[in-house]
Amino acid sequence: MKQSRKLALVAGAASLMLAATACSGSGSKAASGNGSDIATLSFMTSEPKSIVPQKDPGSQIGMALCANLMEVNVESQELEPLAAKSVSSDDAKVWDIELQDGWTFHDGTPVTANSFADAWNATATGANAWQGNGTFVSFAGYDELNPLDGSTAKATELSGVKVVDDTHLTVTLKAPNRDFPAILSTNPTCPMPESAFDDEAAYDEAPVSNGPYKFVSWDHNQQVVMEKWDGFKGAAGFSGGAQQLVGKIYTSIDPAYTDMTAGNLDMIRNVPATMVDKANSQLGEESLFEVKIGSKQQTLQIPAYVDELSSKALRDAVSMSIDREAIATSLLKGHAQPSDSLVPPALDSYVEGSCDACTFDPEKAKKILADDGGFDGTLVIESNSASDQQLVQAIAKQIQDNLGISVQMKPMLGTELSERRNSQKLEGAAFGLWGWSYKSSDQYLSQYETGGDGNLATAYSNPKVDKLLQAARAEMDDAKSAELFKQAEAIIIKDLPAIPLFIPTDYGLQSKCAVLNDVQGDLQYYRAGYGC
């Protein structure tokens, strides 16, 4: 489909909130302070590094607390204005944003254009070291807030963000970006009230935002509690049916699964393929929720700053030593497919077989490595200890057996792995699950653009790739944009800064009272319906 050069997204009338009913059943019920029963759903999470949305872009807790300018509506599966009334542009470079009238934060203070501008400036300031920083790399003025030489920033605000009045602001980007409205649906672009800047430490422990759920309590290493906010003005498709959400904190998925079998947990997302058949047998087929759009990919990311891994021949050999088909069939029980590209098949820019080095050929792999002088070191694979350890072990064993090199697994908490990736402290390859925040090839390929969002993990840089990605974002014709993304991926995959592994079939687990929803290829706990 060819898009018009005039981009505009306008909100319709808000519909009624999704009703939440409390009743008996196998799902959770909790007594409120006044003795009445409230509909409660619990979900698995890890101890958050932060529950402030701008500081942890992938946080499910942050998503529940925040209402972005734009958001995907579960009922329509379309990106629609939420806190915005409209987001429009004539050239995809200069954007005009008009806010909804009468929106407030959970504390009753008004949500204004300054609420967004102040939050964006703070997040985009490199010295603050908030994880959402990279979201603003395309904004004019970002470079002045993030000097590459480590010097003091030359500015305190994004020059591209201008507040017109309380309900209007404009954003000027460095270059046209067709995906800008979708960027406005991500956690780092949430607004912040003035109180957030009065006492940052206090705000970190009890954030105030404008989303469908408001913060209640954070019992560290135990749970985070949120409750439905009656003042939320968004339509039913932007929230869920629980009156209370409890994020129960686990260090791995196994105890979470045990709690679910005991009826003490309602929702788990990103269920490892090795657990799917067991869950089907023990909890029943109705407990499994399969996401229909394959939006996730497992890779080994290879940091360019780790000198021992700088050889292209080594990366090719490692990739060719992995029998993806055998692992997908045996260990993963068919709940994954081998990946042969740096974008998933669900995207228009996907090219089947783009990764030549993804074909299993151990003999050729050994020869490539030998011709390159061999590898005498140890290949370290860092990973999230909370999930997929059997899979990482199988990959490590194949590399070790088929190449004859030493491989060391280094599992750690997800928050630590994320910190090591973002601060360029990785000692080796990083195994991880990558998914989109919104459906776009740029969500996968921007991490290979010099200075792009997520680029810290691999630190890959290629001027030809940078130019193609910038052109793809500026091209408003869908087919032409996809072709440019294909050309960029073809260059990246030859350099292999990351090794494609698997496209997992994405499952969630739900109790009888939890009704999971597919949000354009993702599961979001706060969107779940209450089915009891």
Side-chain angles (χ1 to χ4, degrees):
M1 179 184 74
K2 185 171 182 178
Q3 295 185 348
S4 166
R5 290 295 301 179
K6 174 72 174 179
L7 299 182
L9 294 148
V10 183
S15 62
L16 294 175
M17 290 295 297
L18 184 65
T21 57
C23 64
S24 60
S26 63
S28 304
K29 280 182 74 177
S32 65
N34 60 14
S36 63
D37 291 327
I38 57 176
T40 299
L41 292 177
S42 58
F43 61 90
M44 174 193 171
T45 189
S46 57
E47 170 67 8
K49 186 176 180 64
S50 175
I51 55 175
V52 175
Q54 294 83 357
K55 296 186 179 183
D56 187 356
S59 169
Q60 291 278 311
I61 295 166
M63 291 178 189
L65 296 175
C66 163
N68 285 297
L69 290 163
M70 302 291 300
E71 188 56 88
V72 173
N73 186 320
V74 171
E75 296 176 351
S76 68
Q77 288 297 317
E78 297 293 333
L79 183 72
E80 301 175 3
L82 181 51
K85 183 179 292 183
S86 64
V87 176
S88 60
S89 177
D90 290 322
D91 59 4
K93 183 177 179 180
V94 179
W95 294 84
D96 182 75
I97 301 168
E98 182 179 1
L99 305 186
Q100 298 275 13
D101 295 323
W103 278 52
T104 69
F105 288 102
H106 298 146
D107 62 1
T109 58
V111 176
T112 68
N114 277 311
S115 306
F116 288 95
D118 291 346
W120 296 353
N121 288 326
T123 311
T125 299
N128 288 338
W130 293 3
Q131 286 193 17
N133 173 279
T135 298
F136 298 92
V137 70
S138 63
F139 284 51
Y142 175 86
D143 296 339
E144 287 72 24
L145 291 174
N146 297 269
L148 295 176
D149 59 4
S151 62
T152 302
K154 299 175 182 178
T156 58
E157 298 179 349
L158 290 162
S159 61
V161 177
K162 301 294 185 185
V163 172
V164 179
D165 55 41
D166 280 352
T167 59
H168 291 81
L169 66 162
T170 63
V171 174
T172 301
L173 305 177
K174 296 177 188 175
N177 189 342
R178 69 201 314 271
D179 286 336
F180 182 72
I183 291 173
L184 297 179
S185 72
T186 63
N187 266 2
T189 65
C190 293
M192 297 174 77
E194 290 183 13
S195 61
F197 306 100
D198 295 336
D199 187 338
E200 185 178 335
Y203 188 80
D204 283 350
E205 290 295 313
V208 174
S209 195
N210 65 329
Y213 288 87
K214 65 180 180 179
F215 173 82
V216 175
S217 63
W218 182 4
D219 186 4
H220 287 272
N221 297 303
Q222 297 295 321
Q223 65 180 22
V224 178
V225 179
M226 297 170 285
E227 66 181 28
K228 198 70 165 282
W229 181 46
D230 292 338
F232 180 62
K233 296 180 181 294
F238 298 116
S239 185
Q243 292 171 288
Q244 181 172 265
L245 280 176
V246 179
K248 293 188 175 182
I249 295 170
Y250 301 88
T251 57
S252 70
I253 196 169
D254 292 323
Y257 177 78
T258 298
D259 266 3
M260 178 162 274
T261 60
N264 297 323
L265 185 68
D266 293 305
M267 297 178 286
I268 300 176
R269 67 197 293 267
N270 297 331
V271 177
T274 51
M275 188 176 279
V276 172
D277 289 349
K278 179 171 69 171
N280 188 40
S281 174
Q282 294 180 343
L283 297 172
E285 185 178 352
E286 66 279 1
S287 71
L288 288 167
F289 182 93
E290 181 179 348
V291 178
K292 300 304 180 185
I293 301 175
S295 65
K296 294 181 171 63
Q297 181 185 47
Q298 290 160 329
T299 63
L300 275 181
Q301 294 185 313
I302 315 294
Y305 58 83
V306 178
D307 292 340
E308 307 93 277
L309 306 181
S310 61
S311 167
K312 168 63 163 50
L314 172 63
R315 298 194 295 276
D316 283 347
V318 167
S319 181
M320 295 170 71
S321 73
I322 302 168
D323 190 345
R324 295 164 177 77
E325 197 69 54
I327 292 176
T329 302
S330 56
L331 177 65
L332 303 182
K333 309 293 184 184
H335 299 302
Q337 66 183 71
S339 181
D340 58 2
S341 169
L342 287 172
V343 297
L347 294 171
D348 291 341
S349 67
Y350 169 75
V351 176
E352 184 176 0
S354 67
C355 176
D356 292 335
C358 290
T359 301
F360 178 56
D361 193 336
E363 295 306 315
K364 185 176 179 180
K366 281 189 277 192
K367 185 177 187 307
I368 287 173
L369 190 58
D371 291 346
D372 190 54
F375 180 72
D376 297 327
T378 297
L379 174 62
V380 175
I381 299 179
E382 303 188 30
S383 62
N384 185 345
S385 59
S387 61
D388 295 309
Q389 287 308 293
Q390 285 180 277
L391 175 56
V392 179
Q393 186 175 28
I395 292 167
K397 188 175 188 308
Q398 285 199 352
I399 297 170
Q400 185 164 287
D401 291 351
N402 292 328
L403 284 184
I405 66 174
S406 175
V407 181
Q408 176 190 349
M409 289 175 58
K410 190 172 182 178
M412 63 194 70
L413 292 176
T415 50
E416 181 182 356
L417 180 61
S418 179
E419 172 65 24
R420 290 170 65 82
R421 286 180 45 173
N422 291 335
S423 58
Q424 297 195 338
K425 294 179 180 177
L426 293 171
E427 297 174 13
F431 172 89
L433 180 70
W434 193 270
W436 64 54
S437 296
Y438 51 86
K439 190 176 180 180
S440 170
S441 298
D442 199 34
Q443 283 280 281
Y444 289 86
L445 299 181
S446 66
Q447 61 185 306
Y448 307 111
E449 180 182 11
T450 307
D453 187 12
N455 182 245
L456 287 171
T458 66
Y460 173 82
S461 178
N462 186 317
K464 292 181 180 178
V465 169
D466 296 346
K467 186 175 180 179
L468 284 166
L469 292 179
Q470 290 159 12
R473 293 188 196 108
E475 177 54 66
M476 301 312 299
D477 183 282
D478 290 349
K480 291 179 180 178
S481 178
E483 181 57 37
L484 290 165
F485 279 124
K486 287 178 185 178
Q487 292 175 31
E489 197 256 357
I491 296 172
I492 301 166
I493 201 71
K494 282 184 168 55
D495 292 337
L496 211 64
I499 297 172
L501 293 171
F502 301 98
I503 304 295
T505 305
D506 193 5
Y507 290 102
L509 286 178
Q510 57 190 5
S511 70
K512 291 182 180 178
C513 282
V515 184
L516 290 174
N517 291 308
D518 186 340
V519 186
Q520 211 178 71
D522 192 20
L523 291 178
Q524 296 170 353
Y525 293 129
Y526 80 97
R527 305 288 195 104
Y530 189 80
C532 289

